[in-house]
Amino acid sequence: PELSSLEEWTSDRRAAVQSANLPLAGDCNSPPAQKVLMIGIDGLRAAAAAMLPLPNLRRLARIGTSSYWAHVQADAATVSGPGWASMFTGVEASKHLIDGNGDLTDISPDYPTVFKLVKDTYPQKKIAASVSWHPLIDNIIDHQDPNALDARYKAPNDEAMAEQARQWILSNDFDFIFVDFDDCDGTGHSSGFDGYQLPYRAAVQKTDGLVGELLDAVVSVSSGEEWLIVLTSDHGGYGTGHGPQDEYNLRIPFIVASNSPRVNIGQMPVEDPGSQLDVLPTIMHFFGSVTSCKDASYRFRIEKPDGKKKWRDCKFIAKRATATRCTWTGVSAMCPKTCGTCDICIDSSSRMKFKKSPEDENRISRDCTWTSNNASSRCNIEGMVDACRETCNNCDSGFDTDGQAFGFSDYERSEPPTCQSDPNNCGCDNQQQADYRGNISQTANGKTCQNWDSQSPHFHNRTPENYPTMGLEDNYCRNPDGEAKAWCYTTDPDTRWEL
């Protein structure tokens, strides 16, 4: 074929599959049963996953969406505890409260694991977990809810763990199976997280072989079923460790494979590589659950504290100084996801611009009072239910998540933030530098910072004990409490604190 034709054909392989007249797994009268296999590989470095000859990871990538530059959570050290907890809950460490490996039972009851959420939402679904790192079951999953799992196995090694999961798949008794491979992480700590070195390379390739055995089992029993397979890691690695906030540790592989026509085939965009926080919303979206509430798509009129009025949208609110902008009149109701107000169901008081129908050339300017005068009709206008949630009875906030569904054609992902967190060097403006974890210990005016665990010369309650996930180490500038940017108490008795 012409090169241009071949490139066009391969740019949408899912469309090619759908036009190939392959046998269907189900139809409208008998939809296929939905099954999920979640594969977590502890310490799988993104570079190794991308470059090594791993035939089974490539099998997954060929039938789904892949990324080898996905993010880990941004609020805590790049260690297993916060990584797994963010995968399980879909939120940052500052919410699920696990910021290390020694406090796994601190898991917040406010953010259920994906296992508990699936069980609570679909009580009939059977869930099983086979793990090599036992604290995942003992201290996180079972600690939060001992009834979330229908079967559990704490294996002595990866081979036994995978074999138990394979038997569960072949039994066809379970709707959601989770597996945890641990050898890559163990080998990385003993010999280095380096795919060019034999020990780590061998561990990754052995794990790929075990993944292949699970895939073979899925294929053998999947007739008439729709499967989703999610594969990712808790963190990367460098040398023989993985705690620092650098790209070696912050980047991980993420693959979502499926025979569902809703799942795209190809790679995630460069500007939106995904995140381990996407695991929970991806699985819930596959099962058909409502994700967290959405920001309105309309431009709306904001009024700044100085009285100036401007037409803006929620992307503007999220771009910088988000905490401040969300306090402006009407903003939090129009941008509930950005402002974290999904549980407050009210109409925005702002006027908004929208088209009454897609065919209209011009937009009109109205508010939710106008919508309420004929709600049965006007709530059907595209985007209206997200702007006038109370009037349009769109109050189900679903579940709270910092992630988004990954790889689905029927899910519109929000634009990634303009600032990708670089905690060691500069925090993001849209987080008021709350993500900063660098070593600056002087204010902008040159005053030396007071240690956070010291009460002299200034007494305070911004201590590491009271703010355990905010990086209050030594006397480094931080922003634990929502100030305009990173700050510190000073050693000058006459100046309490400065930015």
Side-chain angles (χ1 to χ4, degrees):
E2 290 286 346
L3 184 61
S4 59
S5 301
L6 183 65
E7 186 175 45
E8 182 179 345
W9 184 83
T10 57
S11 68
D12 190 354
R13 283 177 283 171
R14 179 63 74 191
V17 168
Q18 290 170 345
S19 64
N21 296 319
L22 300 178
L24 298 176
D27 55 43
C28 292
N29 296 320
S30 179
Q34 292 182 310
K35 304 287 183 73
V36 170
L37 173 62
M38 175 181 168
I39 302 172
I41 304 178
D42 199 320
L44 178 58
R45 181 169 164 176
M51 74 176 183
L52 291 177
L54 304 174
N56 295 296
L57 263 66
R58 306 298 172 253
R59 286 172 68 185
L60 290 175
R62 282 197 298 271
I63 58 170
T65 302
S66 60
S67 170
Y68 297 95
W69 198 243
H71 296 275
V72 303
Q73 50 75 31
D75 282 1
T78 52
V79 295
S80 291
W84 285 110
S86 286
M87 262 191 271
F88 290 171
T89 63
V91 298
E92 293 284 3
S94 57
K95 292 182 178 179
H96 62 60
L97 302 182
I98 295 177
D99 62 358
N101 290 340
D103 60 350
L104 302 185
T105 57
D106 286 349
I107 182 78
S108 170
D110 296 331
Y111 299 96
T113 68
V114 64
F115 314 104
K116 176 175 171 56
L117 191 56
V118 169
K119 179 61 73 174
D120 289 349
T121 308
Y122 308 101
Q124 77 280 7
K125 292 192 182 296
K126 301 298 183 183
I127 306 173
S130 182
V131 304
S132 291
W133 195 42
H134 301 177
L136 293 178
I137 288 178
D138 292 338
N139 297 342
I140 299 182
I141 303 172
D142 277 356
H143 178 78
Q144 190 185 69
D145 185 352
N147 299 312
L149 298 177
D150 297 286
R152 55 186 57 75
Y153 179 59
K154 293 176 282 188
N157 52 57
D158 279 3
E159 291 83 356
M161 181 278 298
E163 177 58 24
Q164 178 60 75
R166 192 178 75 88
Q167 293 300 325
W168 282 339
I169 294 169
L170 294 173
S171 75
N172 224 6
D173 291 336
F174 296 94
D175 304 285
F176 180 10
I177 296 172
F178 165 64
V179 299
D180 147 55
F181 290 96
D182 203 43
D183 279 356
C184 293
D185 187 65
T187 303
H189 282 296
S190 62
S191 302
F193 292 85
D194 187 346
Y196 288 103
Q197 300 300 319
L198 179 59
Y200 187 69
R201 180 170 74 246
V204 173
Q205 291 178 313
K206 184 190 80 169
T207 300
D208 180 74
L210 294 174
V211 168
E213 294 179 10
L214 299 181
L215 300 186
D216 290 341
V218 168
V219 170
S220 70
V221 299
S222 62
S223 178
E225 297 176 339
E226 189 175 75
W227 276 81
L228 179 77
I229 302 168
V230 180
L231 182 149
T232 190
S233 181
D234 55 341
H235 55 72
Y238 181 76
T240 56
H242 52 71
Q245 294 267 356
D246 57 40
E247 302 291 10
Y248 299 104
N249 302 306
L250 291 169
R251 300 294 183 168
I252 52 172
F254 197 126
I255 304 174
V256 169
S258 180
N259 61 324
S260 169
R262 301 160 59 203
V263 174
N264 296 317
I265 294 178
Q267 292 186 327
M268 286 293 284
V270 173
E271 69 276 7
D272 183 19
S275 159
Q276 64 185 190
L277 279 66
D278 294 341
V279 170
L280 180 146
T282 297
I283 292 172
M284 295 304 293
H285 185 71
F286 173 73
F287 279 140
S289 247
V290 177
T291 55
S292 58
C293 65
K294 296 195 300 182
D295 291 339
S297 57
Y298 300 153
R299 288 176 67 83
F300 58 96
R301 191 167 64 187
I302 63 170
E303 183 175 347
K304 297 182 178 181
D306 60 8
K308 292 181 180 179
K309 297 179 179 180
K310 300 284 186 180
W311 289 95
R312 295 289 187 265
D313 58 17
C314 290
K315 294 176 182 177
F316 167 81
I317 301 301
K319 189 173 183 180
R320 61 186 302 271
T322 304
T324 299
R325 291 174 174 177
C326 283
T327 65
W328 297 347
T329 302
V331 170
S332 63
M334 192 68 77
C335 311
K337 181 171 177 61
T338 291
C339 296
T341 53
C342 286
D343 56 339
I344 303 173
C345 187
I346 59 174
D347 292 339
S348 175
S349 59
S350 301
R351 290 184 70 85
M352 51 207 176
K353 290 183 177 180
F354 57 91
K355 293 182 179 181
K356 291 182 67 175
S357 70
E359 295 78 23
D360 290 347
E361 291 185 6
N362 299 316
R363 289 176 170 83
I364 63 173
S365 171
R366 297 289 189 273
D367 60 18
C368 290
T369 302
W370 175 86
T371 306
S372 66
N373 290 334
N374 188 4
S376 60
S377 173
R378 291 170 178 171
C379 283
N380 292 322
I381 296 172
E382 184 176 355
M384 189 62 70
V385 295
D386 298 319
C388 305
R389 294 175 63 206
E390 184 177 17
T391 288
C392 297
N393 195 27
N394 184 29
C395 292
D396 183 3
S397 61
F399 50 87
D400 188 5
T401 175
D402 294 327
Q404 306 181 73
F406 180 103
F408 277 80
S409 60
D410 61 346
Y411 182 95
E412 184 178 355
R413 288 174 64 91
S414 300
E415 286 190 9
T418 54
C419 173
Q420 299 291 346
S421 182
D422 183 9
N424 283 343
N425 297 304
C426 185
C428 287
D429 284 345
N430 65 342
Q431 299 184 51
Q432 289 82 51
Q433 297 180 338
D435 56 333
Y436 175 65
R437 295 295 183 271
N439 298 337
I440 293 176
S441 57
Q442 269 191 346
T443 71
N445 291 327
K447 295 184 183 295
T448 301
C449 293
Q450 174 182 316
N451 278 39
W452 292 101
D453 60 1
S454 172
Q455 298 295 324
S456 176
H458 304 289
F459 182 80
H460 63 94
N461 63 2
R462 271 61 169 178
T463 63
E465 293 75 22
N466 290 341
Y467 295 82
T469 65
M470 300 310 295
L472 302 185
E473 308 169 67
D474 298 322
N475 65 335
Y476 304 138
C477 293
R478 298 290 186 262
N479 187 11
D481 57 356
E483 293 294 341
K485 58 176 67 176
W487 62 276
C488 69
Y489 296 105
T490 80
T491 55
D492 182 350
D494 298 324
T495 303
R496 181 168 173 80
W497 67 278
E498 284 188 343
L499 301 175

